[in-house]
Amino acid sequence: MNSPTSVDQKKRSACDAVDGAVIANGKPNVSSELPEHMTTGWDPRMLRNNLRSVSALVLLAFVVCHLVAHSLLLVSLDQAGAALYILMYPWRTAIGTAILASALLVHYLNALWSIYVRRSLCLSRWELWQLGLGLCIPLLLMLHVSSTRIAESLLGVTSHYSSVLIVQWLLSPWLGVLQATAVLTVWTHACLGIHFWLHTKAWYARWRPVLGGLGLLLPTLALAGYVAAGNQLLRDSESPSFVKLSLEESHLTDQKRAEIGQIARIGSATYLALVLLPFVGRGVRGWLYRRRRSPLLNHSSGRTVPILPGATVLETLRQNGIPHASACGGRARCTTCRILVTRGLDRLPAPSRLESGALARIGATPGMRLACQICPTADISVMPLLAANASAAQGAIRGGIEGSERLITVVFVDLRGSEILGKAKLPYDLLYILNQFFHEMTKALDATNGHYAQFAGDGLMALYGLNVKDPATGAADALRGAREMLARIAQLNSRLRGDLPQPLRIGIGIHFSEAIVGAMGPPASQIISAIGETVNTCARLERLTKKHDCPVIISRRAAEMAGLDIIGRELHQAAGDGGAQTVEFYTLKTMADLRV
C-alpha cells in the first residue's frame, strides 16, 4: 500500500487530496452519479476500444467456424466439407462478407494506429506478444487467403478440402507447416486478447479453467483433424488419377498457382509497407517534437522525467524505466494504474467518458486519475496508489482507502478472564465460546455503523465514522456500539450460563482523534484499519478499564464529540508511556452512563 507514513507538509498535501473518502464496511460508498469534475462527452478512445472489441469478436467467430469444421476432419473429408459449407455460408453472403471485411480492416487499422499513437513502445510482455503475433498473422495467412477466397473471386478456382490438402501436403509440403503455424498464431493471439479483456471481471476466475480447457481443446482437435486428413490424402494419392481429378475439379492449374503466388507476394509487400507507415510517422513526429520544451513529471520516488507531447503518464513512466502497474495494457479497464495528482491537477483536461466510467467504478476521490488516460501538457506531480506489480483483482480495490490522515473514532474491546476460560475449558470448547463472542461483537458493530478492523487473541479493534461526513457521528455511534456490545454480552452469558465458569466480561476503550486510515496488510488480503498514536491511546484506555473496574472508558475528546452528558462526571487523567501525551477520560460504569 502506498500511503503516507508521516504528516509533514509534503505528504499532508497528498493525504488531503484523498481525505474525506466515504467508506462503509471496508468499502467506500460510491454514488451512482459521476463526480462533478467528470465529463460525459463523446470519447474517441472509448469508440476505438469498442470497435476493437467488436471487430475482434467478429474475427474470432469466423476463426471458430473454421476450427470446428477442421475438427470434423477426424471423422471424414465429406463430413468436414459439409460442415464447412454450412458454417461458412453466412460469411459468404454479401452482408457476411461486408461484416468480415469491415472487422478485418478495423482491427488491422486499429493495431497500426495503436503503434503510431503510443509515445513509447516499452510494453509489458503480454502486450508485446499480442501485438507481435497480431502483426504476423496477415503474412502467415496471405498465401492461404490468396489461394482460396481471392482465387475463387478472381481466377475461378473452386476450393475444397481435397484440393487444399493436395497443395499443402503433396505439391508444397512447407505450406502445411505454414498453415499449422498460422493456426497456432491466430489462436494464441485471440486467447491473449480474451484473457486480458476478461481477467478484470470478477466472475472470470471461476470460469477461467473452463475457458482455458476450451481454448486448448479446439485448436488441438482442429490440428489433429488436419493431420489425419493429410495422412488420408497421402494414402489416397497412391492412385494416379486421384490428384489429377481433384485439381481439375478445382480448376487449379500450374498457371493459376503461379498467379496465386504473385497475388500473395503483392499482398505481402503491400502489408509490410503499411506496417512501416506508423513507424515512419513516429520518426517524423519525434523529429518535429525534438526542439520543443517538454513538461516535467515529478514522481513520488523522487525522479523527474520529461513528458513527450501527447504521451500518457503511463507511457512516460515506462519509457523512463519507472515501474508502474497496468494489468489491462492501458485501456482503462483494470484501474491498477491509478495515481494521485498532487500538483498540476487543475491543468489537466477533464476525464474522458472512458476514464470517468473507470473512476466511478472504484469510487475515485478528488485528485485520483488513471495514468494510462491522462496526457499532461504542463508540469505535474504524481504518486502511485497501488504497487507496481498489482494484479487485476487489486484493481477492484475501492478508491480513497490508499491511506490518509483523518478524524476517526477508534474502539478497542477485550474479553476479560480469558485465561480462566482457557484453564477451565477444553480447547474446542474455548474456541466455540470465542467464536460466539466475536459473532456477537460483529453483530453489534454492524448494527451501529462500526467497521471490524482487526482482532488479536480475545480482543478486537473497531473503527467508527468511516462512512459519515460529520466525524462527531462516529463518536456517537461508538457509544451506541458499546451499549449494544454490553447488551449482547449479557444475552450471551444467559445463553451459555451452563458452559461458563463465570460470566463473560469485557472492557471497552473509546477515543477520537486523527489517525492514518487505509487499506493495510498483504495485497491479496488487505483490511481497512488505522495506525498512529490515536490507536495506541485507545488501547491504553481499554487497559485502564481493569484498573478502574468499569466496562467502558471514553476519552474526553470522544465524549465531547459524541455529545455525552459530562456534568457531574469525574475527569481522570493517565500519563503516557514513553513520551506519549497525557490522556483525559471518563469512566462509564452502567448502561445508563452510555446514553447521550
Side-chain angles (χ1 to χ4, degrees):
M1 180 189 71
N2 295 298
S3 61
T5 56
S6 65
V7 237
D8 57 35
Q9 187 61 35
K10 179 180 178 181
K11 294 193 176 180
R12 182 183 294 273
S13 63
C15 292
D16 290 344
V18 295
D19 198 13
V22 181
I23 309 175
N25 297 324
K27 296 182 179 180
N29 281 336
V30 182
S31 171
S32 59
E33 299 181 357
L34 296 178
E36 293 180 0
H37 67 282
M38 296 186 179
T39 180
T40 56
W42 181 73
D43 185 1
R45 290 190 183 185
M46 178 176 288
L47 176 62
R48 190 163 70 89
N49 277 356
N50 292 337
L51 288 176
R52 176 175 53 222
S53 300
V54 172
S55 61
L57 291 175
V58 171
L59 295 175
L60 178 62
F62 180 76
V63 171
V64 168
C65 289
H66 262 78
L67 296 186
V68 169
H70 295 349
S71 300
L72 292 176
L73 288 170
L74 288 168
V75 181
S76 69
L77 280 172
D78 293 338
Q79 293 287 343
L84 185 65
Y85 176 80
I86 295 172
L87 292 172
M88 289 295 106
Y89 179 78
W91 302 107
R92 290 181 176 272
T93 63
I95 296 178
T97 300
I99 292 175
L100 181 61
S102 299
L104 182 62
L105 184 64
V106 167
H107 207 66
Y108 171 57
L109 292 179
N110 180 78
L112 297 184
W113 178 254
S114 69
I115 294 174
Y116 171 75
V117 77
R118 290 177 183 271
R119 267 47 179 184
S120 171
L121 292 180
C122 296
L123 308 177
S124 61
R125 186 177 302 175
W126 74 265
E127 290 176 280
L128 286 173
W129 271 104
Q130 189 181 28
L131 181 60
L133 292 174
L135 293 177
C136 290
I137 289 172
L139 285 177
L140 294 172
L141 290 177
M142 189 65 70
L143 191 56
H144 178 67
V145 174
S146 299
S147 61
T148 52
R149 192 66 180 270
I150 295 177
E152 290 176 5
S153 302
L154 300 180
L155 304 178
V157 173
T158 303
S159 299
H160 50 73
Y161 271 123
S162 295
S163 63
V164 173
L165 290 171
I166 286 173
V167 172
Q168 295 181 354
W169 281 77
L170 289 176
L171 303 182
S172 302
W174 63 273
L175 289 177
V177 178
L178 184 66
Q179 185 71 10
T181 303
V183 169
L184 292 176
T185 302
V186 169
W187 195 249
T188 302
H189 173 77
C191 288
L192 280 173
I194 292 174
H195 171 70
F196 285 100
W197 174 37
L198 298 179
H199 81 306
T200 60
K201 312 294 184 183
W203 56 265
Y204 178 65
R206 299 191 302 271
W207 286 92
R208 182 177 175 181
V210 176
L211 296 175
L214 292 175
L216 289 174
L217 181 63
L218 188 55
T220 301
L221 291 177
L223 290 176
Y226 180 68
V227 172
N231 287 325
Q232 178 62 42
L233 182 134
L234 292 176
R235 291 191 292 269
D236 293 341
S237 64
E238 295 177 359
S239 172
S241 60
F242 174 76
V243 174
K244 181 180 179 181
L245 291 175
S246 294
L247 294 178
E248 289 178 353
E249 184 181 349
S250 299
H251 310 292
L252 186 61
T253 63
D254 291 341
Q255 180 182 353
K256 289 184 177 180
R257 287 186 61 207
E259 292 175 358
I260 289 171
Q262 182 66 17
I263 294 173
R265 285 189 291 273
I266 294 174
S268 298
T270 304
Y271 171 75
L272 290 175
L274 289 174
V275 169
L276 288 176
L277 280 179
F279 293 97
V280 174
R282 289 172 58 85
V284 173
R285 182 183 62 203
W287 178 77
L288 292 174
Y289 286 157
R290 196 167 297 156
R291 296 183 179 181
R292 296 187 182 182
R293 189 269 181 187
S294 300
L296 298 178
L297 185 148
N298 298 297
H299 192 261
S300 59
S301 64
R303 291 189 58 183
T304 300
V305 296
I307 305 173
L308 292 176
T312 65
V313 169
L314 178 63
E315 289 175 324
T316 301
L317 295 175
R318 285 181 169 179
Q319 178 71 26
N320 291 276
I322 302 176
H324 195 82
S326 178
C328 70
R331 296 171 184 174
R333 292 174 181 165
C334 64
T335 73
T336 55
C337 69
R338 66 183 74 168
I339 55 175
L340 181 67
V341 181
T342 58
R343 183 169 64 88
L345 180 65
D346 57 333
R347 295 189 293 273
L348 285 175
S352 63
R353 287 188 62 192
L354 186 64
E355 185 182 4
S356 295
L359 292 173
R361 287 198 303 271
I362 61 172
T365 53
M368 187 183 296
R369 299 294 295 269
L370 297 185
C372 69
Q373 297 298 306
I374 56 175
C375 302
T377 56
D379 293 352
I380 186 175
S381 298
V382 302
M383 180 176 70
L385 295 177
L386 291 178
N389 59 350
S391 64
Q394 290 172 254
I397 294 176
R398 313 302 293 182
I401 60 175
E402 291 80 11
S404 61
E405 185 187 29
R406 56 182 302 182
L407 291 168
I408 197 74
T409 303
V410 182
V411 176
F412 266 85
V413 183
D414 184 64
L415 180 64
R416 299 284 181 249
S418 58
E419 61 278 355
I420 298 177
L421 277 176
K423 294 178 181 179
K425 292 293 180 180
L426 294 173
Y428 288 108
D429 295 332
L430 177 61
L431 181 62
Y432 172 76
I433 294 172
L434 289 177
N435 283 338
Q436 292 294 308
F437 165 70
F438 283 114
H439 176 68
E440 294 298 331
M441 295 300 99
T442 302
K443 290 174 68 174
L445 292 174
D446 291 341
T448 56
N449 303 318
H451 167 67
Y452 191 113
Q454 55 185 269
F455 82 96
D458 55 0
L460 63 90
M461 169 183 160
L463 302 177
Y464 280 87
L466 286 174
N467 60 339
V468 294
K469 294 182 179 180
D470 183 5
T473 305
D477 285 341
L479 277 178
R480 293 195 303 112
R483 187 167 63 246
E484 183 74 15
M485 291 176 193
L486 292 175
R488 289 185 175 275
I489 282 293
Q491 295 172 7
L492 185 61
N493 283 328
S494 176
R495 192 165 66 245
L496 300 179
R497 59 181 177 272
D499 298 320
L500 297 173
Q502 63 182 30
L504 298 178
R505 298 172 60 236
I506 59 175
I508 303 174
I510 304 173
H511 186 40
F512 173 88
S513 191
E514 297 85 359
I516 300 297
V517 181
M520 304 178 188
S525 56
Q526 289 187 321
I527 59 173
I528 307 302
S529 191
I531 57 174
E533 185 57 32
T534 297
V535 177
N536 299 332
T537 300
C538 187
R540 286 165 54 205
L541 294 177
E542 177 270 312
R543 292 194 297 269
L544 286 172
T545 59
K546 296 180 181 178
K547 176 181 177 181
H548 291 269
D549 191 25
C550 63
V552 180
I553 285 182
I554 183 171
S555 68
R556 177 180 180 177
R557 192 174 182 189
E560 292 173 349
M561 293 300 296
L564 184 68
D565 183 8
I566 57 177
I567 298 177
R569 296 184 186 273
E570 182 181 358
L571 182 63
H572 302 269
Q573 289 187 345
D577 299 327
Q581 294 182 350
T582 299
V583 59
E584 297 179 324
F585 61 90
Y586 298 99
T587 59
L588 306 178
K589 296 180 180 289
T590 65
M591 295 279 282
D593 291 336
L594 292 166
R595 300 187 183 278
V596 295

